Amino acid sequence: MTKLSFGAHPYLLGFDQLERLVERTAKSGSDSYPPYNIEQNGPDAFRITLAVAGFAEDDLAITMEDRALVIRGRQADDLGERIFLHRGIAARAFQRSFVLADGVEVAGAGLENGLLHVDLKRVMPDPVVQSIPIRRR
């Protein structure tokens, strides 16, 4: 049985990277920590909100890696002599990735009341009309 490739359709030239993007997204896993929301704040604006209670700004990192927004959190090791009778607050490290479409950019990020907000905006490029000269061979 052969696998039908989305990018192999004759009318979809150059879309093979879209197929790789779908495969990468499917492999990203289903870890539910930390929980998050995605909101649409307008026709071309989005907000990703992650619940990161207990994490300081210095414990969080937001990067763009090959069209993927990657948010990482790692709390500094507590070297104090704290003795827990019960430890129910998660303090584990995390990494959460969101694949962004072409034209979607990060507008900013902020930490407020234990919630990390990452604002995104869609930037529509100006349409380009290009004339292609025909050469004689």
Side-chain angles (χ1 to χ4, degrees), residues 30-36 50-55 71 73 75 89-96:
S30 60
D31 186 21
S32 62
Y33 179 77
Y36 65 93
L50 282 85
V52 292
F55 286 85
I71 303 170
Q75 290 181 331
I89 299 173
R92 63 182 186 258
F94 70 87
Q95 175 175 316
R96 171 112 20 219

Side-chain angles (χ1 to χ4, degrees), residues 9 13 28 31 33 48 52 56 69 72 86 104 121 135:
H9 193 280
L13 299 175
S28 67
D31 186 21
Y33 179 77
I48 299 171
V52 292
L69 172 68
R72 293 181 179 92
H86 172 75
V104 176
K121 64 179 178 179
R135 293 183 292 143

Side-chain angles (χ1 to χ4, degrees), residues 20-119:
R20 287 192 300 272
L21 181 68
V22 170
E23 288 175 359
R24 183 173 70 180
T25 303
K27 291 179 185 177
S28 67
S30 60
D31 186 21
S32 62
Y33 179 77
Y36 65 93
N37 292 336
I38 301 176
E39 306 169 59
Q40 185 166 3
N41 291 341
D44 295 320
F46 309 94
R47 173 175 269 189
I48 299 171
T49 301
L50 282 85
V52 292
F55 286 85
E57 286 183 39
D58 294 339
D59 298 335
L60 300 167
I62 304 170
T63 58
M64 284 294 298
E65 301 173 12
D66 190 28
R67 298 304 314 154
L69 172 68
V70 180
I71 303 170
R72 293 181 179 92
R74 176 178 295 282
Q75 290 181 331
D77 293 331
D78 185 15
L79 300 177
E81 296 185 20
R82 297 168 63 184
I83 299 173
F84 290 97
L85 300 178
H86 172 75
R87 188 166 188 172
I89 299 173
R92 63 182 186 258
F94 70 87
Q95 175 175 316
R96 171 112 20 219
S97 298
F98 302 90
V99 179
L100 303 182
D102 287 337
V104 176
E105 298 176 354
V106 177
L111 186 61
E112 175 185 19
N113 298 328
L115 298 174
L116 175 66
H117 303 288
V118 181
D119 293 316

